[in-house]
Amino acid sequence: MKTTSLLYNNEPTDKELAKLMKDVLVDVKKRAKLASKNFKELQKKEIIASKKRYENYILNGI
């Protein structure tokens, strides 16, 4: 005889699901913050590189 009880299906409780969702949200926020920081650093590096390219362009008269 098959039972559909939550205990037998090993399904998480609402409390466990809420904790898991909270953990996932925290992880996503951390990753987004890190990605934003990395993107800002990349932008700064690209600005510096483009300034150098522009200076070389002006100096070399190309």
Side-chain angles (χ1 to χ4, degrees):
M1 185 171 181
K2 213 171 193 183
T3 180
T4 58
S5 171
L6 293 178
L7 296 174
Y8 289 102
N9 286 335
N10 293 325
E11 292 182 10
T13 63
D14 288 345
K15 197 173 192 179
E16 291 171 329
L17 282 175
K19 184 184 180 324
L20 180 62
M21 290 169 63
K22 182 180 177 186
D23 291 345
V24 168
L25 185 61
V26 168
D27 186 50
V28 168
K29 285 182 180 180
K30 284 181 184 177
R31 289 175 184 254
K33 188 174 183 179
L34 181 61
S36 178
K37 181 181 174 188
N38 289 342
F39 181 74
K40 287 177 185 177
E41 288 175 9
L42 183 64
Q43 276 184 318
K44 286 178 186 176
K45 289 178 183 178
E46 184 58 35
I47 289 169
I48 291 169
S50 64
K51 284 180 181 178
K52 286 181 181 178
R53 285 193 300 270
Y54 179 74
E55 288 171 359
N56 285 338
Y57 175 80
I58 296 298
L59 290 175
N60 294 330
I62 299 174

Short mmCIF file of all heavy atoms in Angstrom, two decimals:
data_model
loop_
_atom_site.label_atom_id
_atom_site.label_comp_id
_atom_site.label_asym_id
_atom_site.label_seq_id
_atom_site.Cartn_x
_atom_site.Cartn_y
_atom_site.Cartn_z
N MET A 1 0.83 -1.18 0.00
CA MET A 1 0.00 0.00 0.00
C MET A 1 0.88 1.25 0.00
O MET A 1 1.81 1.37 0.79
CB MET A 1 -0.89 -0.03 1.25
CG MET A 1 -1.86 1.07 1.29
SD MET A 1 -2.98 0.73 2.68
CE MET A 1 -4.00 2.11 2.51
N LYS A 2 0.60 2.15 -0.91
CA LYS A 2 1.39 3.36 -1.06
C LYS A 2 0.81 4.47 -0.20
O LYS A 2 -0.38 4.69 -0.17
CB LYS A 2 1.37 3.79 -2.53
CG LYS A 2 2.63 4.44 -2.98
CD LYS A 2 2.60 4.63 -4.48
CE LYS A 2 3.97 4.97 -4.95
NZ LYS A 2 4.05 5.24 -6.32
N THR A 3 1.71 5.18 0.50
CA THR A 3 1.25 6.29 1.35
C THR A 3 1.74 7.61 0.77
O THR A 3 2.78 7.65 0.12
CB THR A 3 1.75 6.09 2.80
OG1 THR A 3 1.27 7.18 3.58
CG2 THR A 3 3.24 6.05 2.89
N THR A 4 1.00 8.68 1.01
CA THR A 4 1.37 9.99 0.48
C THR A 4 1.79 10.94 1.60
O THR A 4 1.84 12.14 1.41
CB THR A 4 0.21 10.61 -0.30
OG1 THR A 4 -0.91 10.72 0.57
CG2 THR A 4 -0.12 9.80 -1.52
N SER A 5 2.07 10.42 2.75
CA SER A 5 2.46 11.25 3.88
C SER A 5 3.78 11.96 3.58
O SER A 5 4.67 11.42 2.92
CB SER A 5 2.64 10.38 5.13
OG SER A 5 3.20 11.15 6.16
N LEU A 6 3.89 13.18 4.06
CA LEU A 6 5.12 13.95 3.85
C LEU A 6 6.32 13.25 4.50
O LEU A 6 7.43 13.33 3.99
CB LEU A 6 4.97 15.36 4.44
CG LEU A 6 3.97 16.26 3.75
CD1 LEU A 6 3.89 17.61 4.47
CD2 LEU A 6 4.35 16.49 2.31
N LEU A 7 6.08 12.58 5.59
CA LEU A 7 7.17 11.91 6.28
C LEU A 7 7.76 10.78 5.43
O LEU A 7 8.96 10.56 5.44
CB LEU A 7 6.69 11.35 7.63
CG LEU A 7 6.24 12.39 8.65
CD1 LEU A 7 5.66 11.71 9.88
CD2 LEU A 7 7.42 13.27 9.06
N TYR A 8 6.93 10.12 4.70
CA TYR A 8 7.41 9.01 3.88
C TYR A 8 8.00 9.47 2.55
O TYR A 8 8.79 8.77 1.95
CB TYR A 8 6.27 8.01 3.63
CG TYR A 8 5.90 7.25 4.89
CD1 TYR A 8 4.78 7.59 5.61
CD2 TYR A 8 6.70 6.22 5.34
CE1 TYR A 8 4.44 6.91 6.79
CE2 TYR A 8 6.38 5.53 6.50
CZ TYR A 8 5.26 5.88 7.21
OH TYR A 8 4.94 5.21 8.37
N ASN A 9 7.61 10.63 2.11
CA ASN A 9 8.14 11.15 0.84
C ASN A 9 9.43 11.95 1.04
O ASN A 9 10.03 12.40 0.08
CB ASN A 9 7.11 12.05 0.15
CG ASN A 9 5.99 11.25 -0.45
OD1 ASN A 9 6.16 10.08 -0.76
ND2 ASN A 9 4.84 11.87 -0.61
N ASN A 10 9.82 12.17 2.28
CA ASN A 10 11.01 12.95 2.60
C ASN A 10 10.95 14.36 2.03
O ASN A 10 11.96 14.92 1.62
CB ASN A 10 12.28 12.25 2.12
CG ASN A 10 12.53 10.97 2.87
OD1 ASN A 10 12.24 10.88 4.06
ND2 ASN A 10 13.07 9.98 2.20
N GLU A 11 9.77 14.91 1.92
CA GLU A 11 9.62 16.27 1.43
C GLU A 11 9.92 17.24 2.57
O GLU A 11 9.59 16.98 3.72
CB GLU A 11 8.20 16.50 0.90
CG GLU A 11 7.91 15.73 -0.36
CD GLU A 11 6.52 16.02 -0.90
OE1 GLU A 11 5.86 16.94 -0.40
OE2 GLU A 11 6.10 15.29 -1.80
N PRO A 12 10.56 18.36 2.26
CA PRO A 12 10.90 19.32 3.32
C PRO A 12 9.65 20.02 3.86
O PRO A 12 8.67 20.19 3.16
CB PRO A 12 11.81 20.32 2.62
CG PRO A 12 11.51 20.18 1.17
CD PRO A 12 11.05 18.78 0.96
N THR A 13 9.74 20.43 5.11
CA THR A 13 8.64 21.16 5.72
C THR A 13 8.68 22.59 5.21
O THR A 13 9.64 23.03 4.58
CB THR A 13 8.77 21.16 7.25
OG1 THR A 13 9.98 21.85 7.59
CG2 THR A 13 8.80 19.76 7.81
N ASP A 14 7.61 23.34 5.50
CA ASP A 14 7.57 24.75 5.09
C ASP A 14 8.71 25.53 5.72
O ASP A 14 9.30 26.40 5.09
CB ASP A 14 6.24 25.38 5.48
CG ASP A 14 5.09 24.88 4.62
OD1 ASP A 14 5.36 24.28 3.55
OD2 ASP A 14 3.93 25.08 5.01
N LYS A 15 9.03 25.20 6.96
CA LYS A 15 10.11 25.89 7.66
C LYS A 15 11.45 25.62 6.97
O LYS A 15 12.27 26.52 6.78
CB LYS A 15 10.16 25.42 9.11
CG LYS A 15 10.93 26.29 10.03
CD LYS A 15 10.75 25.82 11.48
CE LYS A 15 11.27 26.85 12.44
NZ LYS A 15 11.09 26.45 13.83
N GLU A 16 11.67 24.37 6.59
CA GLU A 16 12.90 24.00 5.90
C GLU A 16 12.98 24.68 4.53
O GLU A 16 14.05 25.15 4.11
CB GLU A 16 12.99 22.49 5.74
CG GLU A 16 13.21 21.75 7.04
CD GLU A 16 13.09 20.25 6.90
OE1 GLU A 16 12.30 19.78 6.05
OE2 GLU A 16 13.76 19.55 7.66
N LEU A 17 11.86 24.74 3.83
CA LEU A 17 11.83 25.41 2.53
C LEU A 17 12.12 26.90 2.68
O LEU A 17 12.86 27.48 1.87
CB LEU A 17 10.47 25.22 1.86
CG LEU A 17 10.24 23.87 1.20
CD1 LEU A 17 8.81 23.77 0.69
CD2 LEU A 17 11.22 23.64 0.07
N ALA A 18 11.56 27.52 3.70
CA ALA A 18 11.79 28.94 3.94
C ALA A 18 13.27 29.20 4.21
O ALA A 18 13.85 30.16 3.70
CB ALA A 18 10.94 29.43 5.10
N LYS A 19 13.89 28.34 5.01
CA LYS A 19 15.32 28.50 5.31
C LYS A 19 16.15 28.32 4.04
O LYS A 19 17.08 29.09 3.78
CB LYS A 19 15.76 27.50 6.37
CG LYS A 19 17.21 27.68 6.79
CD LYS A 19 17.64 26.63 7.77
CE LYS A 19 19.08 26.77 8.21
NZ LYS A 19 20.05 27.20 7.27
N LEU A 20 15.81 27.33 3.26
CA LEU A 20 16.53 27.08 2.02
C LEU A 20 16.40 28.27 1.06
O LEU A 20 17.39 28.72 0.47
CB LEU A 20 16.01 25.81 1.34
CG LEU A 20 16.66 25.43 0.02
CD1 LEU A 20 18.14 25.15 0.22
CD2 LEU A 20 15.98 24.22 -0.57
N MET A 21 15.19 28.81 0.94
CA MET A 21 14.97 29.95 0.06
C MET A 21 15.76 31.17 0.55
O MET A 21 16.32 31.92 -0.24
CB MET A 21 13.48 30.26 -0.03
CG MET A 21 12.71 29.20 -0.81
SD MET A 21 10.93 29.35 -0.69
CE MET A 21 10.63 30.92 -1.44
N LYS A 22 15.80 31.35 1.87
CA LYS A 22 16.56 32.46 2.44
C LYS A 22 18.05 32.29 2.14
O LYS A 22 18.72 33.24 1.75
CB LYS A 22 16.34 32.52 3.95
CG LYS A 22 17.06 33.67 4.61
CD LYS A 22 16.81 33.70 6.11
CE LYS A 22 17.60 34.82 6.74
NZ LYS A 22 17.50 34.80 8.21
N ASP A 23 18.56 31.05 2.30
CA ASP A 23 19.97 30.78 1.99
C ASP A 23 20.28 31.05 0.53
O ASP A 23 21.32 31.62 0.20
CB ASP A 23 20.32 29.32 2.34
CG ASP A 23 20.30 29.04 3.84
OD1 ASP A 23 20.30 30.02 4.62
OD2 ASP A 23 20.28 27.86 4.21
N VAL A 24 19.38 30.66 -0.34
CA VAL A 24 19.58 30.89 -1.78
C VAL A 24 19.58 32.39 -2.08
O VAL A 24 20.43 32.88 -2.83
CB VAL A 24 18.49 30.16 -2.61
CG1 VAL A 24 18.51 30.62 -4.06
CG2 VAL A 24 18.67 28.66 -2.51
N LEU A 25 18.66 33.12 -1.47
CA LEU A 25 18.59 34.56 -1.68
C LEU A 25 19.86 35.25 -1.21
O LEU A 25 20.40 36.12 -1.91
CB LEU A 25 17.37 35.13 -0.96
CG LEU A 25 17.09 36.61 -1.18
CD1 LEU A 25 16.85 36.89 -2.65
CD2 LEU A 25 15.91 37.06 -0.36
N VAL A 26 20.37 34.86 -0.07
CA VAL A 26 21.61 35.43 0.46
C VAL A 26 22.76 35.14 -0.50
O VAL A 26 23.57 36.01 -0.81
CB VAL A 26 21.91 34.89 1.87
CG1 VAL A 26 23.32 35.23 2.31
CG2 VAL A 26 20.90 35.43 2.87
N ASP A 27 22.82 33.91 -0.99
CA ASP A 27 23.88 33.52 -1.93
C ASP A 27 23.80 34.33 -3.22
O ASP A 27 24.80 34.79 -3.73
CB ASP A 27 23.79 32.02 -2.24
CG ASP A 27 24.95 31.53 -3.07
OD1 ASP A 27 26.11 31.82 -2.71
OD2 ASP A 27 24.69 30.86 -4.09
N VAL A 28 22.59 34.51 -3.73
CA VAL A 28 22.40 35.28 -4.96
C VAL A 28 22.83 36.73 -4.76
O VAL A 28 23.49 37.32 -5.61
CB VAL A 28 20.94 35.19 -5.44
CG1 VAL A 28 20.65 36.21 -6.53
CG2 VAL A 28 20.62 33.79 -5.93
N LYS A 29 22.47 37.29 -3.60
CA LYS A 29 22.87 38.68 -3.31
C LYS A 29 24.38 38.81 -3.23
O LYS A 29 24.95 39.78 -3.75
CB LYS A 29 22.24 39.14 -1.99
CG LYS A 29 20.77 39.46 -2.10
CD LYS A 29 20.22 39.95 -0.77
CE LYS A 29 18.75 40.28 -0.85
NZ LYS A 29 18.22 40.74 0.45
N LYS A 30 25.04 37.84 -2.60
CA LYS A 30 26.50 37.87 -2.51
C LYS A 30 27.13 37.80 -3.90
O LYS A 30 28.07 38.53 -4.21
CB LYS A 30 27.02 36.71 -1.66
CG LYS A 30 26.82 36.89 -0.19
CD LYS A 30 27.37 35.70 0.59
CE LYS A 30 27.10 35.81 2.07
NZ LYS A 30 27.57 34.61 2.80
N ARG A 31 26.61 36.91 -4.73
CA ARG A 31 27.15 36.77 -6.09
C ARG A 31 26.92 38.03 -6.92
O ARG A 31 27.77 38.44 -7.69
CB ARG A 31 26.53 35.56 -6.79
CG ARG A 31 27.00 34.24 -6.24
CD ARG A 31 26.25 33.08 -6.89
NE ARG A 31 26.62 31.83 -6.31
CZ ARG A 31 27.39 30.93 -6.91
NH1 ARG A 31 27.85 31.16 -8.11
NH2 ARG A 31 27.68 29.80 -6.31
N ALA A 32 25.76 38.64 -6.75
CA ALA A 32 25.45 39.87 -7.49
C ALA A 32 26.37 41.00 -7.05
O ALA A 32 26.86 41.77 -7.88
CB ALA A 32 23.99 40.27 -7.28
N LYS A 33 26.62 41.08 -5.76
CA LYS A 33 27.51 42.12 -5.24
C LYS A 33 28.93 41.92 -5.78
O LYS A 33 29.58 42.88 -6.20
CB LYS A 33 27.51 42.07 -3.71
CG LYS A 33 28.24 43.21 -3.06
CD LYS A 33 28.07 43.17 -1.54
CE LYS A 33 28.73 44.36 -0.90
NZ LYS A 33 28.57 44.37 0.56
N LEU A 34 29.39 40.68 -5.78
CA LEU A 34 30.72 40.38 -6.30
C LEU A 34 30.80 40.68 -7.80
O LEU A 34 31.78 41.26 -8.28
CB LEU A 34 31.07 38.92 -6.04
CG LEU A 34 32.44 38.45 -6.51
CD1 LEU A 34 33.55 39.23 -5.81
CD2 LEU A 34 32.61 36.96 -6.27
N ALA A 35 29.76 40.30 -8.54
CA ALA A 35 29.75 40.56 -9.98
C ALA A 35 29.76 42.06 -10.25
O ALA A 35 30.44 42.53 -11.17
CB ALA A 35 28.53 39.91 -10.62
N SER A 36 29.02 42.82 -9.46
CA SER A 36 28.97 44.27 -9.62
C SER A 36 30.34 44.87 -9.34
O SER A 36 30.82 45.74 -10.08
CB SER A 36 27.93 44.86 -8.68
OG SER A 36 27.92 46.26 -8.78
N LYS A 37 30.99 44.40 -8.29
CA LYS A 37 32.33 44.89 -7.94
C LYS A 37 33.31 44.56 -9.06
O LYS A 37 34.10 45.42 -9.47
CB LYS A 37 32.78 44.24 -6.63
CG LYS A 37 34.15 44.68 -6.16
CD LYS A 37 34.54 43.98 -4.88
CE LYS A 37 35.97 44.32 -4.50
NZ LYS A 37 36.45 43.51 -3.38
N ASN A 38 33.26 43.34 -9.56
CA ASN A 38 34.17 42.93 -10.65
C ASN A 38 33.92 43.77 -11.90
O ASN A 38 34.85 44.14 -12.60
CB ASN A 38 34.00 41.44 -10.96
CG ASN A 38 34.56 40.56 -9.87
OD1 ASN A 38 35.35 41.00 -9.03
ND2 ASN A 38 34.15 39.31 -9.86
N PHE A 39 32.65 44.05 -12.19
CA PHE A 39 32.31 44.83 -13.37
C PHE A 39 32.84 46.25 -13.24
O PHE A 39 33.38 46.81 -14.20
CB PHE A 39 30.79 44.85 -13.59
CG PHE A 39 30.37 45.62 -14.80
CD1 PHE A 39 30.57 45.09 -16.07
CD2 PHE A 39 29.81 46.87 -14.69
CE1 PHE A 39 30.20 45.79 -17.19
CE2 PHE A 39 29.42 47.58 -15.82
CZ PHE A 39 29.63 47.04 -17.07
N LYS A 40 32.72 46.84 -12.05
CA LYS A 40 33.22 48.20 -11.83
C LYS A 40 34.73 48.25 -12.00
O LYS A 40 35.27 49.19 -12.59
CB LYS A 40 32.82 48.70 -10.44
CG LYS A 40 31.36 49.04 -10.34
CD LYS A 40 30.97 49.45 -8.93
CE LYS A 40 29.47 49.68 -8.83
NZ LYS A 40 29.06 50.00 -7.45
N GLU A 41 35.43 47.23 -11.48
CA GLU A 41 36.88 47.17 -11.65
C GLU A 41 37.24 47.03 -13.12
O GLU A 41 38.19 47.66 -13.60
CB GLU A 41 37.45 46.01 -10.84
CG GLU A 41 37.43 46.24 -9.34
CD GLU A 41 37.90 45.03 -8.55
OE1 GLU A 41 38.40 44.06 -9.14
OE2 GLU A 41 37.77 45.07 -7.32
N LEU A 42 36.51 46.22 -13.83
CA LEU A 42 36.75 46.03 -15.25
C LEU A 42 36.52 47.34 -16.02
O LEU A 42 37.31 47.69 -16.90
CB LEU A 42 35.84 44.93 -15.81
CG LEU A 42 36.02 44.57 -17.27
CD1 LEU A 42 37.40 43.98 -17.51
CD2 LEU A 42 34.95 43.58 -17.70
N GLN A 43 35.48 48.08 -15.64
CA GLN A 43 35.21 49.37 -16.27
C GLN A 43 36.37 50.34 -16.05
O GLN A 43 36.79 51.02 -16.98
CB GLN A 43 33.94 49.99 -15.70
CG GLN A 43 32.67 49.52 -16.32
CD GLN A 43 31.47 50.25 -15.76
OE1 GLN A 43 31.37 50.49 -14.56
NE2 GLN A 43 30.55 50.61 -16.63
N LYS A 44 36.88 50.39 -14.82
CA LYS A 44 38.00 51.28 -14.52
C LYS A 44 39.21 50.93 -15.36
O LYS A 44 39.88 51.81 -15.92
CB LYS A 44 38.37 51.19 -13.03
CG LYS A 44 37.39 51.86 -12.11
CD LYS A 44 37.82 51.68 -10.65
CE LYS A 44 36.77 52.22 -9.71
NZ LYS A 44 37.12 51.98 -8.30
N LYS A 45 39.51 49.63 -15.46
CA LYS A 45 40.65 49.18 -16.25
C LYS A 45 40.45 49.53 -17.73
O LYS A 45 41.39 49.93 -18.41
CB LYS A 45 40.87 47.68 -16.09
CG LYS A 45 41.40 47.30 -14.72
CD LYS A 45 41.55 45.80 -14.57
CE LYS A 45 42.02 45.43 -13.19
NZ LYS A 45 42.12 43.98 -13.02
N GLU A 46 39.23 49.38 -18.22
CA GLU A 46 38.95 49.69 -19.62
C GLU A 46 39.09 51.18 -19.89
O GLU A 46 39.58 51.59 -20.95
CB GLU A 46 37.56 49.19 -20.01
CG GLU A 46 37.23 49.39 -21.48
CD GLU A 46 38.21 48.73 -22.42
OE1 GLU A 46 38.73 47.65 -22.10
OE2 GLU A 46 38.48 49.31 -23.49
N ILE A 47 38.66 52.02 -18.94
CA ILE A 47 38.80 53.47 -19.10
C ILE A 47 40.27 53.85 -19.16
O ILE A 47 40.68 54.64 -20.01
CB ILE A 47 38.08 54.21 -17.95
CG1 ILE A 47 36.56 54.07 -18.12
CG2 ILE A 47 38.49 55.67 -17.89
CD1 ILE A 47 35.76 54.54 -16.92
N ILE A 48 41.08 53.26 -18.27
CA ILE A 48 42.52 53.54 -18.27
C ILE A 48 43.13 53.10 -19.60
O ILE A 48 43.92 53.83 -20.21
CB ILE A 48 43.20 52.85 -17.07
CG1 ILE A 48 42.76 53.51 -15.77
CG2 ILE A 48 44.72 52.89 -17.21
CD1 ILE A 48 43.15 52.76 -14.52
N ALA A 49 42.77 51.92 -20.06
CA ALA A 49 43.32 51.41 -21.32
C ALA A 49 42.90 52.27 -22.49
O ALA A 49 43.71 52.55 -23.39
CB ALA A 49 42.85 49.96 -21.53
N SER A 50 41.66 52.74 -22.50
CA SER A 50 41.21 53.58 -23.62
C SER A 50 41.90 54.93 -23.58
O SER A 50 42.21 55.50 -24.63
CB SER A 50 39.69 53.74 -23.62
OG SER A 50 39.26 54.42 -22.46
N LYS A 51 42.19 55.46 -22.39
CA LYS A 51 42.94 56.71 -22.30
C LYS A 51 44.34 56.53 -22.85
O LYS A 51 44.86 57.40 -23.58
CB LYS A 51 43.02 57.18 -20.84
CG LYS A 51 41.75 57.80 -20.33
CD LYS A 51 41.91 58.25 -18.87
CE LYS A 51 40.63 58.86 -18.34
NZ LYS A 51 40.74 59.25 -16.92
N LYS A 52 44.96 55.41 -22.53
CA LYS A 52 46.30 55.13 -23.05
C LYS A 52 46.26 54.98 -24.57
O LYS A 52 47.15 55.49 -25.27
CB LYS A 52 46.87 53.86 -22.42
CG LYS A 52 47.30 54.06 -20.99
CD LYS A 52 47.89 52.80 -20.41
CE LYS A 52 48.30 53.00 -18.96
NZ LYS A 52 48.83 51.79 -18.36
N ARG A 53 45.25 54.31 -25.09
CA ARG A 53 45.14 54.17 -26.55
C ARG A 53 44.96 55.54 -27.21
O ARG A 53 45.55 55.83 -28.25
CB ARG A 53 43.95 53.26 -26.91
CG ARG A 53 44.21 51.80 -26.68
CD ARG A 53 43.16 50.91 -27.33
NE ARG A 53 41.80 51.16 -26.84
CZ ARG A 53 41.25 50.54 -25.80
NH1 ARG A 53 41.93 49.62 -25.13
NH2 ARG A 53 40.02 50.83 -25.44
N TYR A 54 44.16 56.39 -26.58
CA TYR A 54 43.92 57.73 -27.11
C TYR A 54 45.21 58.55 -27.08
O TYR A 54 45.54 59.24 -28.05
CB TYR A 54 42.83 58.44 -26.30
CG TYR A 54 42.55 59.84 -26.80
CD1 TYR A 54 41.85 60.04 -27.98
CD2 TYR A 54 43.00 60.95 -26.09
CE1 TYR A 54 41.60 61.33 -28.45
CE2 TYR A 54 42.75 62.23 -26.55
CZ TYR A 54 42.06 62.42 -27.73
OH TYR A 54 41.81 63.68 -28.18
N GLU A 55 45.96 58.46 -25.96
CA GLU A 55 47.24 59.18 -25.87
C GLU A 55 48.20 58.69 -26.95
O GLU A 55 48.89 59.51 -27.58
CB GLU A 55 47.85 58.99 -24.47
CG GLU A 55 47.11 59.74 -23.39
CD GLU A 55 47.60 59.39 -21.99
OE1 GLU A 55 48.50 58.53 -21.86
OE2 GLU A 55 47.05 59.96 -21.03
N ASN A 56 48.26 57.39 -27.15
CA ASN A 56 49.13 56.85 -28.21
C ASN A 56 48.67 57.33 -29.58
O ASN A 56 49.48 57.63 -30.45
CB ASN A 56 49.15 55.32 -28.17
CG ASN A 56 49.99 54.79 -27.03
OD1 ASN A 56 50.86 55.49 -26.53
ND2 ASN A 56 49.70 53.57 -26.63
N TYR A 57 47.37 57.41 -29.76
CA TYR A 57 46.82 57.89 -31.02
C TYR A 57 47.24 59.34 -31.28
O TYR A 57 47.66 59.68 -32.37
CB TYR A 57 45.28 57.77 -30.96
CG TYR A 57 44.55 58.34 -32.14
CD1 TYR A 57 44.46 57.61 -33.33
CD2 TYR A 57 43.96 59.60 -32.09
CE1 TYR A 57 43.78 58.12 -34.42
CE2 TYR A 57 43.29 60.11 -33.17
CZ TYR A 57 43.20 59.39 -34.35
OH TYR A 57 42.54 59.89 -35.41
N ILE A 58 47.15 60.16 -30.25
CA ILE A 58 47.52 61.57 -30.37
C ILE A 58 49.03 61.72 -30.58
O ILE A 58 49.48 62.48 -31.44
CB ILE A 58 47.06 62.37 -29.13
CG1 ILE A 58 45.54 62.38 -29.00
CG2 ILE A 58 47.60 63.80 -29.14
CD1 ILE A 58 44.81 63.04 -30.17
N LEU A 59 49.81 61.01 -29.76
CA LEU A 59 51.27 61.10 -29.84
C LEU A 59 51.81 60.62 -31.17
O LEU A 59 52.75 61.20 -31.72
CB LEU A 59 51.92 60.34 -28.69
CG LEU A 59 51.76 60.93 -27.30
CD1 LEU A 59 52.36 59.98 -26.27
CD2 LEU A 59 52.42 62.30 -27.20
N ASN A 60 51.24 59.55 -31.69
CA ASN A 60 51.74 58.97 -32.94
C ASN A 60 51.11 59.61 -34.15
O ASN A 60 51.53 59.33 -35.28
CB ASN A 60 51.52 57.47 -32.94
CG ASN A 60 52.35 56.77 -31.89
OD1 ASN A 60 53.44 57.23 -31.55
ND2 ASN A 60 51.84 55.67 -31.36
N GLY A 61 50.10 60.42 -33.96
CA GLY A 61 49.46 61.10 -35.08
C GLY A 61 48.80 60.16 -36.07
O GLY A 61 48.74 60.42 -37.25
N ILE A 62 48.31 59.07 -35.56
CA ILE A 62 47.67 58.08 -36.44
C ILE A 62 46.26 58.48 -36.73
O ILE A 62 45.51 58.91 -35.96
CB ILE A 62 47.70 56.66 -35.80
CG1 ILE A 62 49.15 56.24 -35.59
CG2 ILE A 62 46.95 55.68 -36.64
CD1 ILE A 62 49.30 54.94 -34.85
#
